Amino acid sequence: MTRTDTEKTPVTLLGLGAMGTALARAWLTAGHPLTVWNRTPSRAHALAAEGARATESVPAAVAANTLVVVCLLDDASVEDTLAGADLTGKDVVNLTTCTPAQARARAAWAAERGARYLDGGIMAVPPMIGVPEAGGYVLYSGARDLFEQHRDTLAVPAGTTYVGENPSHAALHDVALLSAMYGMFAGAAHAFALIRREDVDPTAFAPLLADWLTAMAPAVHGTAEQLRGGDYTKGVTSTLAMQVAGTPTFLDTADEQGVSPELLAPFFALMRRRLAEGGGEEDLTGVIDLLLRRPE
Ligand SMILES: NC(=O)c1ccc[n+]([C@@H]2O[C@H](COP(=O)([O-])OP(=O)(O)OC[C@H]3O[C@@H](n4cnc5c(N)ncnc54)[C@H](OP(=O)(O)O)[C@@H]3O)[C@@H](O)[C@H]2O)c1
């Protein structure tokens, strides 16, 4: 069936920063009636010229539509912004990056005000919004029926990945994935530092690095299976004992190249601790449990 523009769900969007503006353009381009608000009103001018209805008050923007999407700087700005609005009967979709605890509290806060609530974590940068082939997506958590009801509209700016009813889980997945990304960038930073003073072209090294990281990434599936099964020695090809024995090579190479080991050393220390506790026949999965310990 061909849908006409008038059949498309109207959207209210609060927040026209870099991300909010990209979201707005995607919904406008797809023909969704769009009402926008931004603290600094001038940021709405260009979108108004493209067909958005710009409002100068949050209550008016919220009152305009049932579906209210929020994309502001942080959780505090969401509280500030929505404080004076009547959320009764609204479907609030909060795409503002926050912690899992903030998302849980914000869901309860919305429910107290008579709204249904979905939390979202955006796994994309603004140029990827409205460009399906770019691979960006948004993690969603909260009531499944609410997600299903708005799935088509939410899928306009980027792909949708629903991660469960617990409203904190989108933020949890978001931060977990980004944390892994920073670990990857930390490793890449160390690798580039090792070659930095040598006659090695970084642009020739980069494809080797990217391919190696890509080849190693599927190891997380084995880790997940071990965590689920509880046997950390199952399917191990590179034992922790072997890997710890190799760590002096990495530290000595850093020293030879005049590179600080400060990014690698904490992980190696955890590996040695797990080995000392008897985890020599495991791979690296046991390190995860060491991280779960509370500080003394
Ligand atoms: N940009 C990215 O690459 C990216 C990627 C993934 C997720 N995100 C998330 O998307 C959200 C928005 O990011 P962004 O890139 O759009 O940020 P941004 O360009 O810095 O825009 C921030 C937005 O928040 C508004 N704001 C800040 N404090 C406010 C307050 N106290 N009350 C009301 N409005 C306030 C700003 O209004 P003014 O215009 O008045 O300053 C602006 O609309 C963030 O949570 C970010 O983590 C961003």
Side-chain angles (χ1 to χ4, degrees):
M1 186 179 79
T2 304
R3 300 180 69 180
T4 65
D5 288 356
T6 53
E7 289 174 306
K8 294 198 173 174
T9 303
V11 180
T12 285
L13 174 63
L14 308 177
L16 299 174
M19 185 55 81
T21 298
L23 295 169
R25 288 228 156 80
W27 276 309
L28 280 177
T29 304
H32 287 259
L34 183 70
T35 300
V36 294
W37 171 88
N38 193 62
R39 179 180 63 177
T40 306
S42 58
R43 291 182 100 163
H45 290 168
L47 291 165
E50 295 167 36
R53 179 186 159 217
T55 56
E56 297 222 346
S57 86
V58 174
V62 169
N65 298 305
T66 299
L67 178 57
V68 177
V69 179
V70 185
C71 188
L72 296 165
L73 185 65
D74 55 15
D75 185 60
S77 58
V78 175
E79 172 125 26
D80 286 353
T81 299
L82 289 178
D86 180 4
L87 297 181
T88 312
K90 300 299 174 182
D91 293 344
V92 175
V93 178
N94 184 13
L95 303 184
T96 306
T97 302
C98 59
T99 71
Q102 286 171 337
R104 199 162 36 239
R106 191 58 55 206
W109 180 94
E112 284 165 15
R113 285 157 182 77
R116 301 194 297 173
Y117 182 89
L118 278 179
D119 203 79
I122 303 173
M123 304 305 297
V125 292
M128 296 164 81
I129 299 298
V131 184
E133 59 275 21
Y137 66 95
V138 180
L139 296 153
Y140 288 98
S141 60
R144 182 180 284 277
D145 59 343
L146 178 57
F147 171 72
E148 294 298 342
Q149 184 182 332
H150 292 298
R151 181 199 282 261
D152 289 350
T153 303
L154 297 176
V156 167
T160 60
T161 298
Y162 178 74
V163 290
E165 299 263 343
N166 186 325
S168 70
H169 279 193
L172 179 64
H173 283 70
D174 183 353
V175 175
L177 293 176
L178 292 175
S179 298
M181 176 194 76
Y182 278 117
M184 179 187 75
F185 286 146
H190 185 85
F192 277 119
L194 289 178
I195 66 156
R196 185 78 176 123
R197 295 200 190 94
E198 299 284 341
D199 183 22
V200 176
D201 180 351
T203 66
F205 181 70
L208 298 173
L209 181 55
D211 286 353
W212 179 242
L213 293 174
T214 303
M216 288 294 100
V220 298
H221 298 298
T223 305
E225 290 297 335
Q226 290 176 350
L227 286 172
R228 191 164 61 175
D231 180 358
Y232 297 173
T233 63
K234 196 172 175 191
V236 169
T237 50
S238 304
T239 65
L240 182 66
M242 181 280 286
Q243 294 191 58
V244 169
T247 56
T249 303
F250 295 90
L251 298 172
D252 291 347
T253 301
D255 193 45
E256 287 171 16
Q257 298 301 112
V259 169
S260 165
E262 63 197 289
L263 288 173
L264 284 186
F267 195 66
F268 287 170
L270 285 164
M271 289 164 60
R272 282 196 298 274
R273 260 174 64 197
R274 185 68 183 181
L275 178 65
E277 290 180 358
E281 294 307 309
E282 302 169 355
D283 197 325
L284 296 169
T285 305
V287 166
I288 297 165
D289 290 345
L290 293 183
L291 293 175
L292 292 178
R293 288 182 180 159
R294 294 183 183 281
E296 298 299 319

